[in-house]
Amino acid sequence: MLFKVFIESFHESCDSSRLDSFMRVNVVAMVILSRGKCGLCKCVTYYLIGMAGVDLSVVIFDLILRHIPIVFREQFEFVLHIPMCNIHSALLYAATDCSVWLTVTFTFDRYVAIGCKRLKQKYCPEKTAAVVLGTVTFLSCSIDIYWYFILAGPYWRGNQPWFCHVPIKDMLSVVWGTIEFLHYILTPGVPFVLIMLLNVFTLRHFLVSNRDRKRLRAHSCGESTRDPEVANRRKPMILLFVISANLIILWSVIMLFSIRTRMYYQGYEAMYLHWFVQEMGFMLQLLSCCTNTCIYAVTQTKFRDELKNVFKCRFLRQSYDE
């Protein structure tokens, strides 16, 4: 009953079509990938399903729970008197960190599959992928639980994105600044560096391997110029690079603004950035959790075919009901 009232209130106060679109995008991706008809190995499929599921949780925690002070302002006053924002912050940071670090593990998995043949047999099976997904999720939830104890205050409902209210004296303290810097270094600073390095190593090995295969095929006779093995390797490579670039680009704005704001609070005059940059950064960060389905559709032919089949089934069902 409580969940029903919550959803109804949220749809009345917010743009429900935007919420439905964000959630359906990730759900559709999970359904299509779970069928196993996209031409990807099970290991890659597990990672992509896990990433889509975590992105869906980010959308729920960031779009739905962030509007609790609006939705429950009249119906349930007690929500404002319990540490709901502390719970919300722990869940949101855990889901966000998990989304970023799963991209790192997926990048490392592709590097092992392409550049480390000896380690490939031990690391790349689907059982290992399931263990890695569970470990990253558990570590993200365990590490980010400290936000529950750090943030102690009601929701901030000013002319800025709503979240936990932090007193100015705490934000100006060295302890808070150290915590924020460590948080930005772990997510997304270190993942950015790891993703770029792994992509460089993967691309280097991919190019060297392709050059060697071309030389071998040049000495053979009666073979076609098109190498199916290279074509099969190219698809996951394109998918990997696009997902990595999508994460780095869409996270860069909020990361730059957060570092600039922290330097300002610590007394270092940095470049001026308007507050709308923060709002744009939040929007792009949230968008990074909703664009993977578009990436799959652009880079994977079989995924596009499965997506068309889903839409056809839906339209046929609607026409049958009418």
Side-chain angles (χ1 to χ4, degrees):
M1 182 64 182
L2 179 63
F3 181 76
K4 182 179 179 180
V5 174
F6 173 74
I7 293 298
E8 291 177 354
S9 302
F10 181 80
H11 278 267
E12 292 177 358
S13 58
C14 306
D15 187 0
S16 60
S17 60
R18 180 181 63 179
L19 174 66
D20 292 340
S21 299
F22 284 166
M23 297 182 65
R24 288 175 182 175
V25 161
N26 291 285
V27 172
V28 169
M30 294 173 64
V31 172
I32 293 177
L33 291 170
S34 63
R35 294 180 178 180
K37 299 180 180 180
C38 296
L40 301 172
C41 64
K42 291 184 179 180
C43 184
V44 174
T45 303
Y46 281 9
Y47 277 108
L48 296 181
I49 293 176
M51 293 165 64
V54 173
D55 291 345
L56 177 62
S57 65
V58 173
V59 173
I60 293 175
F61 294 144
D62 208 346
L63 277 181
I64 296 180
L65 294 185
R66 194 181 287 272
H67 291 79
I68 282 180
I70 301 176
V71 178
F72 290 133
R73 182 170 51 189
E74 298 178 356
Q75 293 91 338
F76 303 96
E77 291 290 342
F78 71 89
V79 174
L80 301 179
H81 302 287
I82 62 176
M84 180 63 70
C85 192
N86 303 58
I87 301 174
H88 177 198
S89 61
L91 293 174
L92 177 58
Y93 282 120
T96 304
D97 291 356
C98 187
S99 176
V100 175
W101 280 100
L102 282 184
T103 305
V104 177
T105 57
F106 175 64
T107 307
F108 180 75
D109 177 85
R110 291 300 86 200
Y111 167 71
V112 172
I114 296 175
C116 303
K117 295 182 179 180
R118 295 181 180 179
L119 187 60
K120 178 180 178 181
Q121 299 298 329
K122 298 180 180 180
Y123 183 81
C124 293
E126 53 270 19
K127 292 183 179 180
T128 305
V131 172
V132 171
L133 292 173
T135 303
V136 172
T137 304
F138 175 77
L139 291 177
S140 299
C141 296
S142 301
I143 294 175
D144 287 310
I145 198 173
Y146 72 90
W147 287 104
Y148 176 86
F149 303 98
I150 293 177
L151 296 173
Y155 281 92
W156 168 257
R157 291 182 290 176
N159 190 21
Q160 295 177 15
W162 290 292
F163 203 53
C164 302
H165 176 68
V166 181
I168 297 297
K169 62 178 182 179
D170 294 340
M171 297 186 68
L172 296 178
S173 65
V174 179
V175 176
W176 184 270
T178 304
I179 293 174
E180 276 197 350
F181 268 122
L182 290 176
H183 176 71
Y184 297 145
I185 290 174
L186 292 177
T187 307
V190 174
F192 280 6
V193 176
L194 292 177
I195 288 173
M196 288 188 289
L197 289 177
L198 290 172
N199 282 333
V200 169
F201 295 150
T202 304
L203 179 61
R204 178 178 177 274
H205 189 277
F206 179 75
L207 295 177
V208 172
S209 177
N210 287 352
R211 185 171 64 248
D212 294 339
R213 287 185 63 86
K214 288 181 179 179
R215 290 177 181 176
L216 292 175
R217 290 174 64 85
H219 294 286
S220 61
C221 301
E223 295 189 10
S224 60
T225 57
R226 185 177 182 274
D227 190 350
E229 180 66 22
V230 175
N232 292 332
R233 292 181 180 181
R234 187 180 292 113
K235 292 181 179 179
M237 285 290 298
I238 295 175
L239 180 63
L240 170 64
F241 291 150
V242 175
I243 290 179
S244 301
N246 172 73
L247 175 69
I248 293 175
I249 293 174
L250 296 182
W251 268 78
S252 298
V253 177
I254 189 61
M255 184 179 179
L256 177 64
F257 185 88
S258 300
I259 294 176
R260 177 263 171 193
T261 303
R262 175 44 49 192
M263 294 178 64
Y264 175 79
Y265 283 142
Q266 297 301 323
Y268 298 98
E269 292 292 338
M271 58 181 175
Y272 174 76
L273 294 176
H274 197 273
W275 283 103
F276 84 91
V277 178
Q278 182 189 28
E279 298 181 4
M280 182 176 65
F282 280 127
M283 180 191 68
L284 294 177
Q285 177 187 345
L286 183 61
L287 184 63
S288 67
C289 300
C290 309
T291 54
N292 284 341
T293 302
C294 298
I295 293 174
Y296 305 151
V298 171
T299 59
Q300 303 296 314
T301 304
K302 292 185 179 180
F303 185 90
R304 291 197 298 269
D305 296 337
E306 291 295 318
L307 187 62
K308 292 177 182 178
N309 293 333
V310 170
F311 286 130
K312 289 179 180 179
C313 293
R314 182 179 177 182
F315 291 145
L316 290 175
R317 184 178 300 176
Q318 289 181 352
S319 60
Y320 177 78
D321 294 338
E322 293 177 356

